[in-house]
Amino acid sequence: MSGRARGPEPQTIFDVSAPGRRASSVAQPAGSPAEGLIPPGLRRASPPRLPEVSELDLVRHYTRLSQRNWAIDVGVYPLGSCTMKYNPKVHEDVAGLPGFRNIHPWQPADQVQGALQLLWEMEQYLAELTGMARVTFQPAAGAQGELTGLLIMRAHHTATEGHPRSVVLIPDSAHGTNPASVALGGYKVRQIPSDERGLVDLAALEAALDPSVAGLMLTNPNTLGLFETDIERIAAALHRSGGLLYFDGANFNAILGKVRPGDMGFDIVHMNTHKTFTTPHGGGGPGSGPVAVSARLAQYLPSPVVGYDEAANRWFWDTDRPQSIGRLHGFHGNFGVVVRAYTYLRSLGGEGLVRIAERAVLNANYLRALVREAYPEAHPGTCMHEFVCTAKPLRAKGVRAMDVAKRLIDLGFHPPTVYFPLVVEEAMMVEPTETESRESLDALAAALLQIAGEASSDPELLHEAPVTAPVGRLDEARAARRLHVRWEPGSPWLDE
Ligand SMILES: Cc1ncc(COP(=O)(O)O)c(C=O)c1O
């Protein structure tokens, strides 16, 4: 948080409010213009309780708030599984072009041919990269992509077997959205253990397969940063029992242009454009989680999809899809996000894309090797784009993974993901991404090793961290259970 503004830090914009202060100095016409236009019964009796601030107060308040946030534009952000890589600024320029920015989803297809062409071309690129047949851009994030995929799974079994089946298999290392989506999709979760390699236990998988199983959700590389080398056997076993294989594409970054989910035997793939294609993570949205499917599932995709009339060289909305699962999002998803992802693909080209995966894997292995003595890997050996190590050796000194994470903040780094995946004690999941330089990785490794030394020399320093952040240790359980996301006038929670 270097360069943060100093001085008293108000909590909300209301704290800097003073009666009569204004950010705008536009002269008001005499009389209220609303008087003749709005019927008396619909006019407010009293003005809204908005903050009254000068322009400078306003700018300072929000600039200060922005400086309280960590960002990839500020420094290293090795948050495992989240792929916090740099978002090139040219994406914003392209998404802001008037031809993209000023169109409206209700415009007839004839007026937005360029936008439809972009979606169509993007679909071809994603189909090529995943080895799938068709793609929808409706889902707004990876998790919504999961739900889309599971609804497609239901539609498939309902159409081919007369009922949707009832169970979806999930490895014990899976991301929390997987079981949540399974429940939302109307299925029961059956968990598959990992074996000593950190991979899906093949024998346990085969034992769990029966006619109730609709499919298996898998990330490859998995959440331990390891490639599921048995993937072809896994796919064959699933398909033998009539199940479908779902690819959680959160880790697609690691294999982009190297190996395709379709060639591994996957039937349904979601991609997180904010991870793989460097669209903004955006604190929850708007996002995009395109879903790609094999040819036999294409008829179930959300409607409409983009069609192309080759003879007329025109693009159109194909709404004639009687077996579609329906809509998952208003209009056609978050188009501006797809424009950014498209820009990324076009600016890198085929060769550049392959280098993404190579650099991501190289960076993770470089960092892993630098810190492994202090933080041993959960599963020793080469990793893919991220690695899971453990802070367990520090526990004897009273130091936990959480202390390491908090101390990193004081040293100028965002912490890695901690305590996930759940199958590793004192887990630290580190994903440096391909956009970090060797110098950045060296600096992060030095900070991690310094902390391991401090665990012996001054453990209290680690328990107190962070001391340089606007707030210290939070009561995270309370923050989650008593979540207040709305300011209410006079609410006591601010003072608690
Ligand atoms: C393995 C995995 N699956 C699914 C998701 C959910 O993706 P999203 O955040 O786009 O909803 C994530 C997000 O971090 C993830 O890491």
Side-chain angles (χ1 to χ4, degrees):
M1 314 249 168
S2 58
R4 186 152 26 88
R6 300 278 166 236
E9 302 225 21
Q11 286 181 305
T12 74
I13 188 74
F14 290 90
D15 297 325
V16 277
S17 176
R21 216 166 262 174
R22 291 283 176 275
S24 143
S25 53
V26 178
Q28 292 296 312
S32 166
E35 256 161 35
L37 300 172
I38 303 175
L42 297 180
R43 282 185 224 147
R44 325 181 47 112
S46 56
R49 277 185 290 179
L50 294 175
E52 298 181 76
V53 290
S54 71
E55 182 173 324
L56 181 56
D57 289 338
L58 187 71
V59 168
R60 281 193 180 148
H61 180 74
Y62 286 107
T63 304
R64 277 173 195 271
L65 282 188
S66 75
Q67 289 174 329
R68 286 176 170 202
N69 279 334
W70 191 254
I72 193 72
D73 287 359
V74 175
V76 183
Y77 206 143
L79 196 64
S81 203
C82 296
T83 319
M84 306 301 290
K85 58 192 193 183
Y86 174 66
N87 300 174
K89 300 301 171 231
V90 67
H91 299 178
E92 300 307 312
D93 293 342
V94 176
L97 289 173
F100 290 131
R101 194 184 59 212
N102 296 337
I103 55 175
H104 191 279
W106 282 126
Q107 275 178 261
D110 271 355
Q111 293 179 4
V112 290
Q113 282 292 299
L116 289 176
Q117 182 180 351
L118 182 142
L119 287 174
W120 176 258
E121 285 180 9
M122 189 64 175
E123 179 171 349
Q124 314 308 307
Y125 298 151
L126 297 187
E128 172 63 26
L129 285 169
T130 54
M132 295 282 133
R134 295 240 43 192
V135 181
T136 174
F137 293 102
Q138 280 191 26
Q144 205 190 12
E146 292 171 23
L147 177 64
T148 308
L150 289 158
L151 294 178
I152 289 173
M153 222 179 245
R154 286 188 82 85
H156 164 74
H157 285 119
T158 306
T160 55
E161 299 178 0
H163 65 95
R165 299 194 172 198
S166 58
V167 172
V168 171
L169 308 179
I170 294 191
D172 58 5
S173 61
H175 190 259
T177 51
N178 290 180
S181 301
V182 167
L184 210 58
Y187 292 107
K188 288 194 199 72
V189 175
R190 191 174 293 163
Q191 192 166 293
I192 305 298
S194 306
D195 61 19
E196 65 291 342
R197 301 169 301 166
L199 306 179
V200 168
D201 184 325
L202 213 51
L205 172 70
E206 278 172 359
L209 285 170
D210 63 38
S212 69
V213 173
L216 166 69
M217 293 182 89
L218 205 60
T219 26
N220 199 14
N222 66 19
T223 37
L224 290 159
L226 305 171
F227 191 81
E228 295 281 355
T229 44
D230 294 328
I231 189 60
E232 285 165 313
R233 291 172 67 189
I234 293 172
L238 242 299
H239 291 151
R240 254 196 320 274
S241 75
L244 295 175
L245 194 54
Y246 181 97
F247 183 83
D248 173 336
N251 295 335
F252 197 31
N253 208 45
I255 57 167
L256 207 56
K258 288 284 179 186
V259 57
R260 308 189 311 166
D263 297 337
M264 292 186 234
F266 285 94
D267 304 284
I268 307 172
V269 175
H270 89 240
M271 285 153 277
N272 313 62
T273 60
H274 49 287
K275 297 172 197 261
T276 313
F277 304 120
T278 76
T279 60
H281 276 65
S288 178
V291 169
V293 293
S294 59
R296 67 178 168 145
L297 302 175
Q299 67 268 34
Y300 308 119
L301 281 173
S303 181
V305 291
V306 181
Y308 177 53
D309 178 348
E310 209 171 337
N313 191 28
R314 306 295 289 169
W315 287 270
F316 61 95
W317 287 117
D318 177 1
T319 50
D320 183 16
R321 305 184 61 76
Q323 286 184 276
S324 164
I325 58 166
R327 269 198 177 279
L328 260 294
H329 193 282
F331 300 111
H332 316 296
N334 289 315
F335 174 70
V337 181
V338 181
V339 175
R340 289 167 172 86
Y342 175 89
T343 309
Y344 186 61
L345 289 178
R346 292 299 300 257
S347 53
L348 284 170
E351 275 184 31
L353 276 183
V354 176
R355 283 204 298 276
I356 292 177
E358 289 171 352
R359 279 284 296 269
V361 173
L362 181 63
N363 277 3
N365 278 290
Y366 179 70
L367 187 60
R368 179 183 63 84
L370 289 179
V371 301
R372 67 197 294 191
E373 264 189 42
Y375 306 95
E377 305 111 300
H379 297 90
T382 315
C383 63
M384 294 294 286
H385 62 306
E386 64 193 354
F387 62 96
V388 177
C389 58
T390 172
K392 226 165 103 183
L394 309 185
R395 215 156 54 182
K397 297 152 190 157
V399 169
R400 314 264 329 254
M402 183 63 82
D403 302 314
V404 177
K406 299 295 185 192
R407 178 69 178 139
L408 268 178
I409 297 173
D410 283 342
L411 298 183
F413 297 91
H414 194 285
T417 300
V418 289
Y419 301 113
F420 177 75
L422 304 175
V423 288
V424 175
E425 271 185 86
E426 298 297 327
M428 292 172 39
M429 187 185 205
V430 192
E431 180 177 13
T433 83
E434 70 277 13
T435 53
E436 291 305 333
S437 65
R438 181 171 174 176
E439 292 75 21
S440 302
L441 299 178
D442 286 340
L444 173 59
L448 282 164
L449 296 177
Q450 176 185 328
I451 295 170
E454 289 169 348
S456 300
S457 62
D458 191 359
E460 215 30 54
L461 182 70
L462 308 191
H463 295 144
E464 281 164 12
V467 293
T468 57
V471 288
R473 294 266 175 135
L474 295 171
D475 180 346
E476 289 171 12
R478 183 159 159 254
R481 289 201 186 120
R482 301 198 53 202
L483 188 65
H484 281 92
V485 289
R486 202 173 121 229
W487 181 85
E488 291 150 45
S491 166
W493 64 269
L494 278 174
D495 306 321
E496 271 177 38

